[in-house]
Amino acid sequence: MCGIIGYVGDERKAMEVILDGLNKLEYRGYDSSGLAIIENDSIFIAKKSGKLENLKAFLKDKEERSFIGIGHTRWATHGNPSDENSHPHFSNDKRVAIVHNGIIENYLEIKAELIKDGCSFTSQTDSEVIAHLFSKYYVDDPITTILKVKERLRGSYAIGIIDRDNPEQIICTRKDSPLIIGVGKNKNFIASDVPAILKYTRNVIFLDNNEIAILKKDSVKIFNSFGVEITKDIIKIDWDMEQASKNGYPHFMLKEIEEQPSIVEKTLNTYTDNLGKINFNSSLNIDLSKIKEIYIVACGTAYHAGLQGAHFLKNISKIKADVDIASEFRYSDPFIDENTLVIFISQSGETLDTLMAMKMSKSKGAQTLAITNVLGSSIAREADMVLYTTAGPEISVASTKAYTAQVTLLYLLAIYLGEKNGVVDNESYHSYLDIIYKLSDNIDLILKKKEEIKLISGFLKNKNDAFYIGRGIDSKCCQEGSLKMKEISYIHTEAFPAGELKHGTIALIEEGTPIIAIATQEDMVEKMLSNIKELKARGAYVIAITKERYTNIIEISDNFITFENIEDIIAPTVANIALQLLAYYTAVEKGVDVDKPRNLAKSVTVE
């Protein structure tokens, strides 16, 4: 959840690099921020609660001559957001400073032991024990020291450490929390995510679980869990800072919404060839004769993409497919074995609940496929197979383009498996592909309706509650639209199949209650019309998102957003773009921070 940055070099001042990196990582947590640099044979620490601007203001007149340091932006888990609970944390002897992303599950046990040894604590965080342990076990060899520390820690962590007595090096390690190393000329970096260092280098090393690294300005040494030095490949990142910048947009979210037509095209260009065939190259090695069932497992927005994916698999591939939330899946004792394919979806590839669910599935013999946006991420490395969504960096906490890329890729996967399964003939195969090739243009047309959607958002901004309804695959789309409105506008919303209205929820409908009704499915239009009439009879204000030709839906609704008559199976993906814009403009109208909604972080790396 939190963001880590570290720098050692001889060209730039550390504070400048760290603050710049924290600015790129603030989407990972913005309850507080801080940095530590080594100067004049001592460690200087500055940390402030609230957004990064508070730390920048505090350091405004600070002079520095340091070329090594670490920084942190926090999403609070243990201890409220405050200066004291901000990172970095000192050891009592001021020898070391640490930054940490993750959760130390046995910190209370360690803390009690350290207090008994005479150690004093200045925060309520779990992370502070790491600094004190490092000081307690300190020997001249940093690898020996960090191995002793790691033996004591139970939980997840990415850790960066600077040592006053070794002012030329950064020590780092990870377990179940992301950490990368940026490799430059006479400068090296650690970071939670690529955007933090992209300004300085595109060459990165992805640390695996339990690996340790020592960075100096002119060297990077990697060690395995036994302290033995190993060699790791350097990966070149193929996207640039322009993709990770706003480029004149008021918010990353709007920029990322508008990138979706090109993202769909890029996905199709990546996974189809010149002969009009889906081509996953060597990414997939699935023996369908052994697969009796497919599970799709994910969290949040990725889970909602999975709901669409399961619909595609059932209706196109004719394969039994279930969807589950990762945090529930691993505790539900699912019926999985070597005849099960489990698909794990995660934008970051670091979602800890999803990663743990994958490990459990592998232990039961299931085949595993990761769908992720991040090259070299933990979930990508752990899976038997991986498909990348190629959406580029997604900075806004509320996911938009990653979702659309996931849905597009799941659609292609369903066609591919359907052909392999013998249920999609050549004519149907190309018909399905023709449908998906129309998606980009139809998204473009919805984006041209921004001003219409903005006007509708003016009605919603002062509402406390809203309901999203749909039938069939539209009801899956409703769940994602509802989540977007919740997470960035703070309006309480619920989404459910429209047929469930009469089973309790209609009791909540009164004069002016907002209803967002998705009606894109031909065989469901008459039923949706009845549901809308039931709501209107009780005073609801209905905003319909539907096709232009469904005039009966349009006529009975109070407001509407329409699009052309695209085929039913991907119509909800087009409707979802309207829902993204509706949530975005409602949040803008309310004056909230769209890209950094309260209490949320981009990558959920704790359980």
Side-chain angles (χ1 to χ4, degrees):
M1 307 282 274
C2 305
I4 288 174
I5 178 74
Y7 165 75
V8 55
D10 63 3
E11 296 177 0
R12 295 176 179 270
K13 293 181 178 179
M15 197 165 73
E16 172 190 326
V17 175
I18 292 166
L19 289 174
D20 181 67
L22 291 178
N23 191 58
K24 303 297 190 303
L25 289 172
E26 202 176 10
Y27 66 90
R28 296 181 65 89
Y30 28 87
D31 290 329
S32 63
S33 57
L35 59 77
I37 57 176
I38 301 177
E39 57 180 6
N40 301 322
D41 299 321
S42 64
I43 298 178
F44 167 81
I45 286 185
K47 47 189 186 175
K48 288 290 177 184
S49 63
K51 293 189 177 179
L52 181 60
E53 294 306 315
N54 296 343
L55 179 65
K56 289 180 178 178
F58 179 75
L59 293 170
K60 183 179 178 182
D61 298 320
K62 164 71 178 171
E63 293 184 9
E64 79 156 312
R65 296 178 179 81
S66 174
F67 298 95
I68 182 170
I70 51 178
H72 187 272
T73 182
R74 182 174 184 242
W75 187 85
T77 56
H78 294 66
N80 64 307
S82 67
D83 291 357
E84 293 77 17
N85 290 331
S86 306
H87 295 220
H89 291 296
F90 258 143
S91 58
N92 283 162
D93 56 12
K94 302 293 192 282
R95 172 183 282 160
V96 299
I98 69 99
V99 288
H100 166 232
N101 171 33
I103 289 180
I104 306 303
E105 295 173 355
N106 60 333
Y107 86 100
L108 286 174
E109 169 193 328
I110 297 170
K111 185 174 182 177
E113 173 194 309
L114 290 168
I115 290 173
K116 190 175 180 180
D117 289 344
C119 188
S120 61
F121 283 75
T122 59
S123 78
Q124 292 80 50
T125 70
D126 57 326
S127 306
E128 191 179 349
V129 299
I130 301 169
H132 298 309
L133 282 176
F134 194 92
S135 181
K136 176 179 179 176
Y137 294 130
Y138 187 87
V139 294
D140 286 340
D141 176 20
I143 297 300
T144 300
T145 304
I146 196 65
L147 285 173
K148 287 182 178 180
V149 172
K150 282 168 62 64
E151 284 179 7
R152 298 298 315 279
L153 302 179
R154 189 171 70 248
S156 61
Y157 50 79
I159 304 168
I161 304 170
I162 54 173
D163 174 4
R164 178 194 65 199
D165 296 343
N166 292 282
E168 78 290 347
Q169 68 184 22
I170 295 175
I171 307 163
C172 65
T173 188
R174 71 169 289 255
K175 176 181 176 290
D176 297 332
S177 290
L179 195 65
I180 65 167
I181 294 170
V183 181
K185 184 177 180 181
N186 292 322
K187 55 182 180 290
N188 292 302
F189 310 81
I190 63 170
S192 296
D193 206 352
V194 171
I197 60 172
L198 201 56
K199 179 178 178 180
Y200 310 104
T201 181
R202 290 192 190 183
N203 297 320
V204 303
I205 296 170
F206 294 98
L207 280 187
D208 283 313
N209 264 352
N210 294 309
E211 290 179 345
I212 304 163
I214 295 180
L215 283 67
K216 298 182 179 181
K217 68 179 182 181
D218 53 3
S219 68
V220 174
K221 293 184 177 181
I222 313 291
F223 302 83
N224 65 17
S225 59
F226 301 104
V228 177
E229 188 171 355
I230 58 175
T231 301
K232 299 274 289 186
D233 291 336
I234 296 175
I235 307 297
K236 190 174 182 65
I237 301 301
D238 64 357
W239 43 271
D240 55 31
M241 272 305 298
E242 184 176 348
Q243 290 175 275
S245 302
K246 288 182 184 175
N247 287 350
Y249 283 89
H251 300 98
F252 277 110
M253 184 177 180
L254 183 59
K255 174 178 178 281
E256 289 160 7
I257 288 172
E258 296 206 8
E259 287 175 347
Q260 288 174 108
S262 64
I263 295 303
V264 170
E265 290 179 1
K266 186 174 181 181
T267 302
L268 293 172
N269 289 337
T270 301
Y271 290 112
T272 61
D273 60 26
N274 294 333
L275 300 175
K277 295 285 287 182
I278 298 166
N279 183 6
F280 291 126
N281 296 317
S282 59
S283 300
L284 293 186
N285 183 26
I286 301 171
D287 184 355
L288 279 178
S289 66
K290 295 181 178 179
I291 299 301
K292 303 293 189 290
E293 184 175 15
I294 295 177
Y295 277 101
I296 301 177
V297 179
C299 301
T301 287
Y303 167 73
H304 297 152
L307 293 173
Q308 300 268 36
H311 182 91
F312 299 152
L313 289 167
K314 291 172 185 175
N315 286 271
I316 297 174
S317 316
K318 307 303 180 187
I319 298 174
K320 186 175 186 291
D322 291 312
V323 192
D324 208 345
I325 295 170
S327 58
E328 295 292 318
F329 181 71
R330 55 189 287 234
Y331 299 108
S332 64
D333 194 20
F335 294 102
I336 56 176
D337 55 24
E338 66 275 7
N339 297 316
T340 311
L341 171 66
V342 190
I343 301 172
F344 297 90
I345 311 174
S346 169
Q347 187 280 139
S348 67
E350 301 292 348
T351 309
L352 191 56
D353 284 316
T354 307
L355 180 60
M356 293 299 102
M358 177 181 285
K359 290 182 176 181
M360 182 270 288
S361 299
K362 287 172 71 73
S363 73
K364 289 177 175 283
Q367 296 183 54
T368 58
L369 167 63
I371 295 179
T372 183
N373 193 37
V374 181
L375 181 72
S377 57
S378 297
I379 287 170
R381 296 199 302 273
E382 187 78 21
D384 299 319
M385 300 163 280
V386 59
L387 293 173
Y388 290 103
T389 51
T390 66
E394 188 178 63
I395 307 301
S396 179
V397 168
S399 178
T400 53
K401 65 176 181 174
Y403 169 85
T404 300
Q406 290 161 1
V407 170
T408 304
L409 189 50
L410 286 164
Y411 183 85
L412 293 177
L413 180 63
I415 301 168
Y416 176 85
L417 294 180
E419 183 192 39
K420 298 293 182 187
N421 209 25
V423 298
V424 173
D425 60 24
N426 188 61
E427 182 180 352
S428 298
Y429 185 95
H430 290 288
S431 175
Y432 283 129
L433 278 179
D434 287 344
I435 291 169
I436 199 71
Y437 276 115
K438 299 174 186 175
L439 182 56
S440 178
D441 287 342
N442 278 273
I443 293 174
D444 256 330
L445 292 173
I446 279 286
L447 292 174
K448 288 180 169 61
K449 299 196 171 193
K450 286 188 301 184
E451 292 305 314
E452 293 178 36
I453 297 170
K454 186 176 181 180
L455 288 173
I456 296 172
S457 70
F459 167 78
L460 291 172
K461 69 175 182 179
N462 295 318
K463 298 295 181 179
N464 295 320
D465 305 279
F467 298 96
Y468 287 65
I469 62 168
R471 283 177 176 262
I473 193 173
D474 282 344
S475 70
K476 321 308 188 213
C477 174
C478 286
Q479 292 192 46
E480 175 58 13
S482 170
L483 177 62
K484 282 295 152 290
M485 187 65 78
K486 276 185 240 187
E487 63 186 344
I488 64 169
S489 76
Y490 315 143
I491 295 172
H492 167 254
T493 63
E494 288 186 43
F496 48 85
E500 284 294 292
L501 267 171
K502 294 185 287 295
H503 297 279
T505 308
I506 202 165
L508 299 175
I509 306 303
E510 55 189 16
E511 193 69 33
T513 300
I515 303 289
I516 293 86
I518 317 300
T520 74
Q521 304 298 295
E522 177 73 33
D523 59 347
M524 301 286 191
V525 170
E526 288 186 0
K527 298 294 185 185
M528 281 298 296
L529 185 64
S530 296
N531 293 137
I532 292 172
K533 286 180 177 179
E534 291 165 353
L535 292 162
K536 290 293 295 174
R538 288 155 178 83
Y541 184 95
V542 176
I543 301 165
I545 300 177
T546 190
K547 296 178 186 176
E548 291 174 351
R549 66 189 178 92
Y550 296 151
T551 54
N552 49 358
I553 296 285
I554 295 167
E555 288 169 359
I556 198 173
S557 300
D558 297 283
N559 219 321
F560 53 86
I561 303 163
T562 62
F563 51 89
E564 292 185 354
N565 299 317
I566 194 168
E567 284 79 357
D568 284 6
I569 197 160
I570 61 165
T573 308
V574 179
N576 187 66
I577 308 303
L579 296 178
Q580 292 173 355
L581 288 167
L582 189 62
Y584 171 78
Y585 283 116
T586 302
V588 170
E589 288 283 328
K590 294 186 69 171
V592 300
D593 192 337
V594 174
D595 286 333
K596 301 169 187 173
R598 67 189 182 204
N599 303 332
L600 297 178
K602 183 67 178 173
S603 179
V604 183
T605 56
V606 295
E607 294 182 88

